[in-house]
Amino acid sequence: VTVGEETDLICSTATWILELVPRSCGKHTAKIEYENHLSFLLFRQLNILVDTGSSNFAVAGVPDPDVTSYFNTELSSTYKSQGIEVTVKYSQGSWTGVLGTDVITIPKGIDGSYTINIATILESENFFLPGVKWHGILGLAYDILAKPSSSVETFFDSLVRQAQIPNIFSLQMCGAGLPVSGSGTNGGSLVLGGIEPSLYKGNIWYTPIKEEWYYQVEILKLEVGGQNLELDCREYNADKAIVDSGTTLLRLPQKVFSAVVQAIARTSLIQEFSSGFWSGSQLACWDKTERPWSLFPKLSIYMRDENSSRSFRISILPQLYIQPILGIGENLQCYRFGISSSTNALVIGATVMEGFYVIFDRAQRRVGFAVSPCAEVDGSPVSEIEGPFTTTDVASNCVSSITFHEPVLWIASYALMSLCGIILLILIILLLIPPRCQHRYTDNDVVNDESSLVRHRWK
């Protein structure tokens, strides 16, 4: 379900539980375990989508046909409304609510009570969907993306400031090879304030965070079946490359997506394949006794290492991007293509993240990747990390130096509108002065109001 030009919400029918482990995770580390990789249980029975691609914490605040529970603020003696309306819009969904604060406690791992900002969703359109069992969203990106402004302290920033936990969290998303719309328990963990060694194997490889808004990283190249796509590395970062747990698929800029599809089609063992499968409009079905994954190649993504002269690659096997979605009758199992095109970003979403334990080390401005023990199908691993590799074959900087963040767009918009206002004021004054002094404007002198508009870019 697409909710932005570069992100979408993940659908699930799983049931979630919250379990915070004792201090074995570290003095200030809270570990949240749940039965899928999308959300954790909060406020008794509210399931919250964990999203590293947004920054607001919001829950259903009124009954809705598509939610089974909601947060009734009248029953909370500690809730305080700020009376500030907040709206978050997506390309195919939105919600509007009221900003407030409330007090939370975490039973184990982090002692004490903490006041956090929370938006109660009062109206929504295509946000809560039939069969989807989440009741809200927890944005874990930087405050620059928070609505209605970056002055709204995020949930995690509040914990870091008040509980004095380390400014780091990590996420394990499980579900490799399991049906997308199934009701099974996929497993997964969210660790607040640290790293849990039992959730990964081998070494952790870190790549720098290029900009602190989304978790923007630098992609150097892609390989399909071991073959380099031979694209300019700037194509992979147009206009950004981010790590986003709230996005279902691996999303690629159009030029990169086309090259990947062509390479997969060329290297796979399937002679002809419907274009509808690649575009996501059609499923591909095989007999349940067959394993189609052997027909497709491995996909590798190269990232710049903390040492800029080196790189490492994360690889996903077909079990992660050829995803079972439903069965037809007793004999057929259908699959979808877990990669899609994007108009303005490369998004490392759940398709890739399910293969790894991902560390969001905000204190040191880096994102880490390690192989996840749960990334296995039939007992075999479906993800890999290898390195280091030299970066002599790529540009020293693959990220555009000009990145228009949302606040910059707003400032530019206000500046242009102010300019138009001044011009309009001058025109009014000229209309009011005596006719002999009045300048007669021709059609060429008319200011076009549309020239002052800057299209607002949402997540």
Side-chain angles (χ1 to χ4, degrees):
V1 181
T2 301
V3 295
E5 291 189 342
E6 71 274 12
T7 59
D8 54 1
L9 297 178
I10 307 174
C11 297
S12 172
T13 57
T15 300
W16 300 78
I17 60 171
L18 167 66
E19 180 182 356
L20 297 172
V21 301
R23 296 180 183 269
S24 60
C25 294
K27 183 177 180 181
H28 299 293
T29 299
K31 174 181 168 186
I32 299 172
E33 293 186 325
Y34 42 90
E35 295 183 355
N36 204 317
H37 61 261
L38 303 183
S39 54
F40 60 85
L41 190 65
L42 193 64
F43 299 125
R44 296 183 180 177
Q45 296 297 322
L46 296 187
N47 304 318
I48 309 300
L49 178 79
V50 177
D51 181 18
T52 62
S54 68
S55 301
N56 281 84
F57 178 35
V59 297
V62 293
D64 185 280
D66 296 318
V67 298
T68 56
S69 300
Y70 68 97
F71 175 40
N72 189 342
T73 58
E74 295 181 356
L75 301 181
S76 174
S77 61
T78 53
Y79 173 81
K80 295 180 180 179
S81 174
Q82 297 180 12
I84 301 174
E85 183 176 284
V86 55
T87 297
V88 177
K89 296 182 179 180
Y90 310 88
S91 63
Q92 293 186 16
S94 64
W95 57 261
T96 296
V98 175
L99 196 64
T101 64
D102 208 338
V103 176
I104 64 165
T105 59
I106 300 177
K108 299 177 182 178
I110 303 178
D111 297 327
S113 299
Y114 310 102
T115 301
I116 50 91
N117 289 307
I118 179 171
T120 50
I121 300 174
L122 305 180
E123 298 178 3
S124 65
E125 182 178 356
N126 296 328
F127 181 75
F128 298 118
L129 301 170
V132 176
K133 295 186 178 181
W134 70 66
H135 310 100
I137 187 167
L138 173 63
L140 292 174
Y142 291 96
D143 57 9
I144 195 171
L145 297 181
K147 308 296 182 194
S149 73
S150 59
S151 63
V152 177
E153 188 175 54
T154 66
F155 180 96
F156 189 66
D157 281 339
S158 296
L159 281 185
V160 171
R161 178 177 59 83
Q162 298 176 53
Q164 297 185 343
I165 63 173
N167 193 13
I168 179 176
F169 67 90
S170 48
L171 186 60
Q172 181 197 55
M173 301 167 66
C174 301
L178 297 179
V180 173
S181 58
S183 57
T185 57
N186 294 1
S189 300
L190 170 65
V191 181
L192 301 176
I195 300 172
E196 171 53 45
S198 66
L199 299 181
Y200 69 93
K201 301 186 295 184
N203 297 324
I204 300 174
W205 291 83
Y206 287 97
T207 186
I209 294 174
K210 301 297 291 185
E211 294 286 344
E212 294 174 305
W213 56 325
Y214 299 97
Y215 293 98
Q216 182 179 353
V217 296
E218 184 178 11
I219 306 300
L220 304 186
K221 62 181 178 180
L222 264 66
E223 290 180 347
V224 174
Q227 299 299 311
N228 188 353
L229 293 183
E230 301 292 351
L231 296 176
D232 186 317
C233 68
R234 294 173 183 82
E235 298 287 352
Y236 303 120
N237 299 278
D239 61 357
K240 58 184 172 291
I242 65 175
V243 183
D244 182 3
S245 64
T247 295
T248 308
L249 308 179
L250 168 61
R251 305 201 66 189
L252 304 174
Q254 184 58 56
K255 188 173 182 179
V256 179
F257 176 74
S258 298
V260 166
V261 168
Q262 292 174 11
I264 293 176
R266 184 172 60 250
T267 57
S268 72
L269 300 179
I270 299 176
Q271 295 292 330
E272 296 182 5
F273 223 94
S274 169
S275 60
F277 177 71
W278 307 119
S279 66
S281 61
Q282 293 180 337
L283 302 177
C285 303
W286 282 269
D287 189 279
K288 288 186 176 180
T289 60
E290 298 181 78
R291 290 292 191 179
W293 297 313
S294 62
L295 304 175
F296 296 89
K298 177 171 65 176
L299 177 64
S300 300
I301 302 173
Y302 285 74
M303 299 183 184
R304 195 178 297 277
D305 187 66
E306 288 186 289
N307 179 342
S308 61
S309 65
R310 305 190 313 179
S311 67
F312 65 93
R313 72 183 177 208
I314 60 174
S315 300
I316 58 171
L317 274 62
Q319 287 88 335
L320 286 172
Y321 71 83
I322 303 297
Q323 302 169 345
I325 191 166
L326 57 85
I328 298 180
E330 298 181 357
N331 300 320
L332 293 180
Q333 175 69 57
C334 296
Y335 298 78
R336 74 174 180 189
F337 189 44
I339 305 173
S340 67
S341 63
S342 169
T343 59
N344 64 350
L346 185 151
V347 186
I348 297 176
T351 290
V352 176
M353 292 182 70
E354 285 183 346
F356 304 95
Y357 181 52
V358 185
I359 297 95
F360 297 86
D361 189 347
R362 296 152 59 103
Q364 300 190 56
R365 287 192 58 164
R366 60 184 185 174
V367 176
F369 293 83
V371 172
S372 171
C374 72
E376 294 186 351
V377 175
D378 297 331
S380 299
V382 294
S383 61
E384 304 169 353
I385 297 184
E386 298 170 287
F389 303 99
T390 181
T391 59
T392 56
D393 59 335
V394 296
S396 59
N397 182 21
C398 298
V399 178
S400 172
S401 59
I402 301 177
T403 304
F404 293 104
H405 294 183
E406 288 187 50
V408 175
L409 291 175
W410 277 111
I411 292 172
S413 176
Y414 288 137
L416 289 172
M417 286 189 289
S418 298
L419 178 61
C420 288
I422 294 173
I423 295 174
L424 182 60
L425 180 61
I426 294 173
L427 290 176
I428 293 174
I429 293 174
L430 291 174
L431 288 173
L432 294 176
I433 62 177
R436 63 179 179 275
C437 299
Q438 182 176 341
H439 172 73
R440 299 296 181 183
Y441 283 86
T442 65
D443 292 339
N444 294 331
D445 295 315
V446 175
V447 176
N448 181 359
D449 289 339
E450 291 183 357
S451 66
S452 70
L453 301 180
V454 177
R455 184 178 178 183
H456 180 52
R457 183 175 63 200
W458 294 305
K459 172 192 165 209

